[in-house]
Amino acid sequence: MSQRTITRAELGEAVYQRIGLSRTESAALVELVLKEISDCLAGGETVKLSSFGSFVVREKGARVGRNPKTGIEVPIDPRRVMVFKPSNILKARINREGEDA
Amino acid sequence: MIKSELVQKIADHYPELYQRDAENVVNAILDEIADALTRGDRVEIRGFGAFSVKKRDARVGRNPRTGAHVPVDEKVVPVFRAGKEMRERINRGS
């Protein structure tokens, strides 16, 4: 079983198949959903999508890093990062729990 | 923001769309991602990020309270890595 990569195109196709809208509209809706999620996160707000998971923005403090090649210490400024916390439902689904028990 | 608020925002942009359809759009996207991960596929959304799965080997865990050994089965976990554009936006806070 080879690994495939799903992109925007497949997400648009999924919307197209499920809702009776044109392919163009479906693609635009996928873009809008991604934009709304991104805008919210850019503002530092958590996005909770029940049964899927949460996207959380975390504040990281300043620390001293090191260039692994040269061993030279470099200061790393405080920054904000985004993390994804998968829901228990998503984790169970991916492990196909309840399917082959 | 929770899912229902996201659905509302989508519906606000598309007055001709039923609320139920807006909800189906969000669910179709999330289901497609979850299905891909269940198959072991990767989901790459440029500018946003990429979802993939990682296998965790079976191991012997410990009950932290009693110290008893507990076998932990092999499992697959979903992982997400934010895309470059997303990382920069989050950091700028705009």
Side-chain angles (χ1 to χ4, degrees):
Chain A
M1 191 175 79
S2 65
Q3 197 202 38
R4 280 179 57 215
T5 299
I6 302 313
T7 63
R8 276 184 165 76
E10 284 82 4
L11 297 184
E13 186 64 22
V15 170
Y16 171 73
Q17 298 287 346
R18 287 252 293 253
I19 336 272
L21 299 165
S22 72
R23 283 203 160 82
T24 317
E25 280 178 303
S26 301
L29 276 159
V30 169
E31 255 356 276
L32 180 61
V33 168
L34 294 171
K35 183 189 177 291
E36 293 296 348
I37 295 174
S38 307
D39 287 354
C40 195
L41 290 164
E45 201 190 322
T46 294
V47 177
K48 282 186 184 174
L49 304 169
S50 72
S51 83
F52 187 77
S54 310
F55 293 102
V56 186
V57 177
R58 286 214 183 123
E59 304 275 346
K60 298 270 195 179
R63 65 186 170 90
V64 178
R66 205 178 269 278
N67 180 328
K69 200 171 283 182
T70 61
I72 296 167
E73 285 187 355
V74 248
I76 297 176
D77 291 336
R79 67 210 157 98
R80 296 206 299 176
V81 295
M82 160 188 177
V83 293
F84 175 63
K85 275 196 63 165
S87 73
N88 287 330
I89 294 173
L90 180 66
K91 286 193 269 189
R93 185 165 167 183
I94 285 171
N95 283 282
R96 299 167 183 274
E97 268 162 30
E99 208 175 81
D100 50 12
Chain B
M1 179 169 77
I2 61 172
K3 198 176 4 184
S4 57
E5 293 166 335
L6 174 61
V7 167
Q8 189 55 55
K9 283 188 175 176
I10 305 307
D12 289 348
H13 274 85
Y14 286 80
E16 71 277 21
L17 205 68
Y18 288 113
Q19 176 95 14
R20 191 190 58 221
D21 286 331
E23 196 174 341
N24 283 335
V25 166
V26 172
N27 286 332
I29 295 169
L30 299 179
D31 278 343
E32 184 70 13
I33 296 172
D35 286 345
L37 295 175
T38 305
R39 291 191 303 267
D41 289 342
R42 205 178 123 80
V43 180
E44 190 178 310
I45 305 161
R46 287 280 160 85
F48 186 78
F51 295 90
S52 58
V53 289
K54 275 200 170 129
K55 204 186 107 197
R56 298 268 183 260
D57 289 333
R59 63 189 170 85
V60 179
R62 290 281 202 129
N63 178 326
R65 193 179 306 225
T66 63
H69 292 271
V70 197
V72 179
D73 290 342
E74 173 186 295
K75 64 180 170 186
V76 181
V77 294
V79 292
F80 174 78
R81 200 173 122 78
K84 188 167 180 269
E85 213 177 289
M86 194 70 221
R87 285 202 304 269
E88 288 169 356
R89 261 196 93 187
I90 299 272
N91 220 357
R92 272 205 315 273
S94 64

